[in-house]
Amino acid sequence: YADVSVVCGKADYEELGKQKLLINPILIVEVLSESTENFDKGDKFKAYKSISSFTEYLLISQEKRFVTLFTKYNEKFWFQSEYVAGETLKLESLDIELSVDEIYEGII
């Protein structure tokens, strides 16, 4: 389960047990903790890649103002970019710019 998922248009869900899972997100956001960071960057990301609508993966550090953005180039390649305090990233899937400082506003 993602911390945040974004869909454009109609949200499509699948039932898994008693849970409804969004199956057409374009953007997935994970807030990394020490205990989940390796899983979020590894097996979880690998599983997310099987979602055809999924084009951006934003990982947010809990420890410092640092975010990593993975952007889908094609079925095999993802671009990785990293941002720190004072920098701005562009979420192509939403056509918006977002500063790292905005992400952490009121937190760190």
Side-chain angles (χ1 to χ4, degrees), residues 30-73:
E30 294 287 359
V31 177
L32 303 176
S33 68
E34 195 174 309
S35 63
T36 65
E37 184 171 357
N38 288 336
F39 179 63
D40 289 343
K41 289 180 176 179
D43 289 341
K44 199 173 200 183
F45 186 28
K46 185 177 178 180
Y48 288 154
K49 287 178 183 178
S50 69
I51 302 169
S52 62
S53 61
F54 174 53
T55 60
E56 287 183 307
Y57 191 40
L58 185 62
L59 302 174
I60 302 170
S61 172
Q62 277 189 11
E63 303 299 317
K64 56 189 171 193
R65 289 180 183 229
F66 181 79
V67 299
T68 304
L69 176 63
F70 290 91
T71 305
K72 186 177 184 176
Y73 177 71

Side-chain angles (χ1 to χ4, degrees), residues 7 9-14 20-25:
V7 65
K10 183 181 180 293
D12 292 326
Y13 296 93
E14 251 182 35
K20 281 177 52 175
L21 302 176
L22 180 67
I23 61 169
N24 64 328

Side-chain angles (χ1 to χ4, degrees), residues 85-104:
E87 295 184 327
T88 299
L89 58 114
K90 177 147 187 183
L91 295 173
E92 297 289 339
S93 61
L94 302 177
D95 194 26
I96 62 168
E97 289 189 355
L98 183 63
S99 75
V100 172
D101 297 329
E102 287 175 306
I103 293 170
Y104 289 92

